Amino acid sequence: MTEVQRQGFLTRLTAYEPLTLITLASIAGGLFVLQRLTSEVLEGETFRFDEVILLALRRADDLAVPIGPGWLTHAVDDITALGGITVLSLLTALITIYLLFDRRWPIAIFVFSSVLTGWLASTLLKILVARPRPDIVPHLVEVSDLSFPSGHAMVSAVTYLTLGALLARTQRYRSTRIFVMGAGVFLAVIIGLSRIYLGVHYPTDVFAGWCAGALWALGCWLISKRFVPSRAPDGAAEAGNGDSR
């Protein structure tokens, strides 16, 4: 190995391997936390914790009325829609189409596949755990499926964190990358909290959704970092420029 090759190898090792190890360690730790939380839920050990939080968010004299001003309920209802199937489907479809038009075929397919498989994973977890919706307080929105993990929390985390991570790769400045990722985390957090406030999920459902969604997004980011190019191939870019002449 020549000196140039050795320096190049050390540069790649320094740039990627520590980050890869940290990512893998985070995934392993997250899987452990998710497994423990699921086990505690199945054994009923978390019910008291969930009950205290749900009751604290309602007026003691009328559990059908949440704490806070009237406008807050409407705002939370709007926020929770950001994690609904309609909004996330439209967002994913539009971004996928944009990436296809931008000649970024690998990343377009990857984004669509990441969100779709995350959705399927959320559904599978719900079926396996089969936890009914909470009946501690009246629901402020209509729901019909199972409770654990929160689909809104998990799928919104998968969607917004995956999109945020992929978008951050294209940004030049670190401050912009931090903002993009922070925005994704913020959206996932407020959507999950909205489900608790509306009384349609136990807090542990939401915590599990965040954990599972973050794990999925982290795994997708690791795969994309290694195998999915963030830019269109030079030939595709040149062809696109030629079409516009």
Side-chain angles (χ1 to χ4, degrees):
M1 180 181 292
T2 65
E3 183 64 24
V4 174
Q5 291 174 326
R6 186 180 298 108
Q7 290 296 328
F9 172 76
L10 292 175
T11 300
R12 289 194 299 271
L13 182 65
T14 304
Y16 293 107
E17 293 310 315
L19 183 59
T20 300
L21 292 175
I22 292 173
T23 302
L24 291 175
S26 300
I27 292 175
L31 286 172
F32 175 77
V33 171
L34 182 61
Q35 185 275 328
R36 292 298 305 164
L37 180 58
T38 304
S39 176
E40 294 294 320
V41 167
L42 290 173
E43 295 172 2
E45 298 294 331
T46 62
F47 181 78
R48 181 57 184 164
F49 168 80
D50 289 326
E51 182 182 45
V52 168
I53 294 180
L54 287 175
L55 291 176
L57 294 174
R58 298 300 174 94
R59 294 182 182 176
D61 57 340
D62 188 356
L63 294 180
V65 181
I67 60 174
W71 60 262
L72 181 59
T73 303
H74 295 289
V76 171
D77 193 29
D78 291 337
I79 289 171
T80 206
L82 296 175
I85 183 172
T86 303
V87 172
L88 293 182
S89 296
L90 285 172
L91 179 64
T92 303
L94 291 173
I95 290 177
T96 301
I97 293 171
Y98 165 77
L99 291 170
L100 291 174
F101 283 146
D102 201 39
R103 307 298 193 273
R104 301 186 184 186
W105 304 91
I107 198 171
I109 296 172
F110 185 79
V111 166
F112 183 81
S113 301
S114 299
V115 175
L116 178 61
T117 53
W119 215 309
L120 294 175
S122 173
T123 302
L124 179 61
L125 284 173
K126 283 178 177 286
I127 295 173
L128 291 175
V129 177
R131 188 186 200 185
R133 292 281 180 166
D135 57 3
I136 299 171
V137 297
H139 301 166
L140 299 184
V141 293
E142 184 178 351
V143 290
S144 58
D145 59 342
L146 297 169
S147 190
F148 185 95
S150 166
H152 274 66
M154 179 174 175
V155 181
S156 64
V158 169
T159 304
Y160 292 120
L161 294 184
T162 298
L163 294 177
L166 295 175
L167 180 60
R169 290 178 55 192
T170 67
Q171 302 306 304
R172 178 179 179 182
Y173 300 106
R174 176 179 296 181
S175 57
T176 310
R177 294 194 294 270
I178 292 173
F179 173 79
V180 169
M181 284 305 303
V185 172
F186 175 72
L187 287 172
V189 169
I190 63 173
I191 289 169
L193 292 177
S194 73
R195 305 305 283 173
I196 301 173
Y197 185 84
L198 295 172
V200 296
H201 274 296
Y202 296 103
T204 44
D205 297 337
V206 173
F207 297 155
W210 283 335
C211 185
L215 284 172
W216 201 270
L218 195 58
C220 290
W221 174 84
L222 185 61
I223 294 172
S224 72
K225 187 75 172 177
R226 291 296 184 180
F227 303 110
V228 181
S230 60
R231 296 172 180 264
D234 292 338
E238 291 175 1
N241 290 334
D243 292 342
S244 62
R245 292 174 185 172

